[in-house]
Amino acid sequence: MDVILFLIFALIAVACAINVVVQTHPISSALSLVGVMGSLAILYLLLGAEFIAAAQVIVYAGAIMVLFVFVIMLLNAGAETRKGRSYLIPGAPLLIVFLGLVAYYVQRMFPSSTMVRFGGFTGGGPKDIGHALFTTYLLPFEVTSILILVAIIGAIVLARKEIE
Amino acid sequence: MMNAVPISWFLTLSAILFALGVAGFLFRRNIITVFMSIELMLNAVNLSFVTFSYQHKEVSGHLFTFFVMVVAAAEAAVGLAIILTVFKGRSTLNIDDVNSMKN
Amino acid sequence: MQLLDSFIFITLLKAAVVFGVLMTTLAYLQWVERKVIAHVQVRPGPYRVGPHGLLQPVADIIKLLTKEDLLPPYVNKPLYLLAPFLAISMALLSISVIPFGPTIQVGPVTTWMQLTDLNIGVLFILAVSSMSVYGIALAGWASNNKYALIGGLRSSAQMISYELPMSLAIAAPLLISNTLSLRQLVEAQSGGIFNWNILHGPFPQVISFIIFTIAAFAETNRVPFDLPEAENELVAGFHTEYSSMKFASFFMAEYANMITVSAMATLLFLGGWMAPWPAAWGSSLVPTAIFAIAGATALYHGANAARKRDKLTLPVFGIIFLIIAGVFLLPMVQSWLLPLFWFAGKTGAILFLFIWVRATLPRFRYDQLMGFTWKFLFPVAMLNLLVTAFLVAWTTK
């Protein structure tokens, strides 16, 4: 059951990721990326990361990608003009070889001793995340909040109209 | 054995997604798609963080993922604002056309 | 294996029941809305199809099903077809975690009146509702029509903006109840109206209830925040180019979202299926009293009928109401019918508020809409959350 779930959503993720790269229209890429994020959220659930799965959908798919779609719609961005696909001739085989190498090394470094079962790890609930966030990771948490403040100010400065 | 997935499969998936993100980042010319490829890479890294978290039965990986998400959100806000400004000035989204610093 | 089979069977059965009830409610909510608005404006509303227009939804459904399904030649076809599907499926998905009542005993089986209970149920609903922007945004973009595009843009900007005060307003009662599971949330509010989150705890959540309701109006694109479909500016907004069942899916999605947010408000603030005061003080007699009064009124009006038709229909309704009043007195059904009554009653009251506001308020201007959430609603929600957090930390040892 777990294997079937993993294979289904891994295949969806990879197919959508390929779509992100090969689609010429940015909105198709954006929607494929939402597909990747959705299937990753389900894989997170399989790994026992409930909170991260929910945050993935709320923050990534629900906020960041909506922002992307919004900007694409706002700029009315058209399809990318194709300037030939010459890069695919050396690129695609190289990519496949590279992926094969990576997969091989990952398999060697992590022999299948650890198996993932649904429910094998239950420490990823909101309570555990909150506890770790406000004890061990308090400083990074506060620093991130300053980062967000900086980002907000930066976005406002960039996007506002020039005052004459 | 049908009921469990080897941990290396998750890592391989993560590597594949990361490589596809790199490919998109290098090959695409539309600035928004390039930006989305970066998000794809971040997502791939998040998957390995969560996987390692499972392996060590430790919550730290989830926290890293959480921080990556926050940073990605901040990055998207600023990055898209920059894209909007660039588009306002040059009305193009092709990164090869944004080259006024070149000469 | 027997257990698994029965579990799957029960879940499928529950899903079918919930789906059927939901679809009927969606159809009749439309009828209720037209009737309420009509009565606010002192007209009778739908009256021709069936007694008091009760069969109007059926006529509407037949009309929508048999209309020609247009596919304009200039649309982006895959996205144009995907958008209504996304909208309706996201709207229906969030119903799956909403609990309607406590456990019920049907023959040998004991089961919860809920499809499934997640321990991140609230987050699930937030996630699904944040995904529902895509349906509207894509519909606007794929239609390849400037009115639809502006409608889609407006709606996505509005939904992202109002999601912030909404999530902050949700967070405050969660601090008091200390759980993210919707079922435990309700159980934490048992024992009378003063234990409900709107009145309970170190800091009564009246402010966050109001903020949640306002944000809910904007999230569901209802008046006074229905800028995405403002007829006099944008024709019909994002669904200008849709017809037949595709149009109906957007319509059903809007009403399903209304039901979801009303149910969420009930669960978060109004104690879910809990009665406002204990059964020992007679709360179990309230539904009987309400239905008996309704039945008596209908019988009285039937006896002094203003229109010829009412001579037959009103007494029939009166007798049906009296039978329902009697059913509520049977001890064997009380255990599950009473919670269902309270849940439906509270949700219905909030739905009535939606309709009432639609009949009362004019539409906002777009800059007012955005300024209102960012400059007023968001800071207030933030402040409310901070005060709640401080007081909860102060009082819990």
Side-chain angles (χ1 to χ4, degrees), chain C residues 16-334:
Chain C
V17 168
V18 168
F19 188 73
V21 171
L22 187 72
M23 282 298 157
T24 321
T25 321
L26 286 181
Y28 274 90
L29 192 58
Q30 166 69 6
W31 176 80
V32 170
E33 175 158 25
R34 288 171 71 175
K35 271 290 187 195
V36 170
I37 290 178
H39 283 295
V40 170
Q41 298 164 345
V42 207
R43 21 179 208 102
Y47 214 88
R48 304 275 169 181
V49 193
H52 288 256
L54 262 179
L55 295 178
Q56 185 71 43
V58 182
D60 284 344
I61 291 168
I62 292 171
K63 184 192 80 176
L64 283 168
L65 278 174
T66 51
K67 261 192 170 178
E68 188 191 353
D69 199 0
L70 279 174
L71 187 68
Y74 41 82
V75 298
N76 183 333
K77 209 169 158 193
L79 295 183
Y80 178 83
L81 296 177
L82 178 72
F85 172 73
L86 259 182
I88 187 75
S89 51
M90 287 304 156
L92 294 180
L93 198 57
S94 46
I95 303 283
S96 61
V97 293
I98 286 183
F100 306 101
T103 47
I104 47 167
Q105 186 95 31
V106 186
V109 200
T110 313
T111 182
W112 282 91
M113 289 163 86
Q114 180 185 22
L115 283 185
T116 175
D117 188 56
L118 301 179
N119 41 7
I120 49 163
V122 180
L123 290 180
F124 178 82
I125 289 194
L126 276 179
V128 171
S129 82
S130 66
M131 291 298 283
S132 64
V133 186
Y134 285 107
I136 292 173
L138 287 183
W141 189 82
S143 292
N144 213 350
N145 166 321
K146 60 184 166 193
Y147 298 118
L149 179 67
I150 294 174
L153 274 177
R154 277 185 180 183
S155 136
S156 37
Q158 169 180 338
M159 283 170 96
I160 305 174
S161 307
Y162 276 81
E163 213 155 73
L164 285 167
M166 193 176 192
S167 350
L168 288 177
I170 288 176
L174 293 180
L175 284 178
I176 294 177
S177 296
N178 200 12
T179 175
L180 282 172
S181 145
L182 286 162
R183 188 190 293 164
Q184 287 167 22
L185 195 67
V186 174
E187 278 162 0
Q189 301 179 57
S190 63
I193 191 165
F194 290 105
N195 281 350
W196 296 0
N197 275 338
I198 191 168
L199 291 175
H200 170 63
F203 190 61
Q205 292 301 315
V206 185
I207 303 171
S208 69
F209 176 66
I210 295 170
I211 293 171
F212 180 86
T213 319
I214 295 173
F217 278 89
E219 285 282 305
T220 48
N221 295 325
R222 294 281 301 182
V223 179
F225 305 124
D226 65 338
L227 275 302
E229 38 198 298
E231 297 87 5
N232 34 15
E233 308 164 22
L234 295 181
V235 192
F238 58 87
H239 51 59
T240 307
E241 300 289 346
Y242 285 88
S243 61
S244 185
M245 274 321 277
K246 296 206 274 293
F247 167 74
S249 339
F250 283 114
F251 215 68
M252 288 197 295
E254 182 181 325
Y255 280 85
N257 279 331
M258 256 166 78
I259 293 179
T260 312
V261 289
S262 309
M264 276 295 282
T266 308
L267 295 169
L268 283 166
F269 299 98
L270 302 179
W273 60 82
M274 300 292 178
W277 59 86
W281 299 352
S283 74
S284 54
L285 296 175
V286 172
T288 310
I290 289 176
F291 278 106
I293 293 170
T297 319
L299 280 179
Y300 172 79
H301 282 292
N304 311 307
R307 299 175 186 84
K308 208 174 154 192
R309 246 178 168 176
D310 294 349
K311 268 191 189 138
L312 178 68
T313 53
L314 279 180
V316 171
F317 281 129
I319 290 165
I320 291 173
F321 284 149
L322 286 178
I323 291 171
I324 296 174
V327 166
F328 270 99
L329 285 177
L330 298 174
M332 56 193 287
V333 296
Q334 266 189 348

Side-chain angles (χ1 to χ4, degrees), chain A residues 41-69:
Chain A
I42 292 175
L43 295 181
Y44 290 165
L45 281 182
L46 200 60
L47 289 165
E50 297 166 358
F51 180 80
I52 292 300
Q56 166 94 357
V57 178
I58 295 175
V59 177
Y60 255 126
I64 298 181
M65 288 320 291
V66 172
L67 215 57
F68 272 98
V69 171

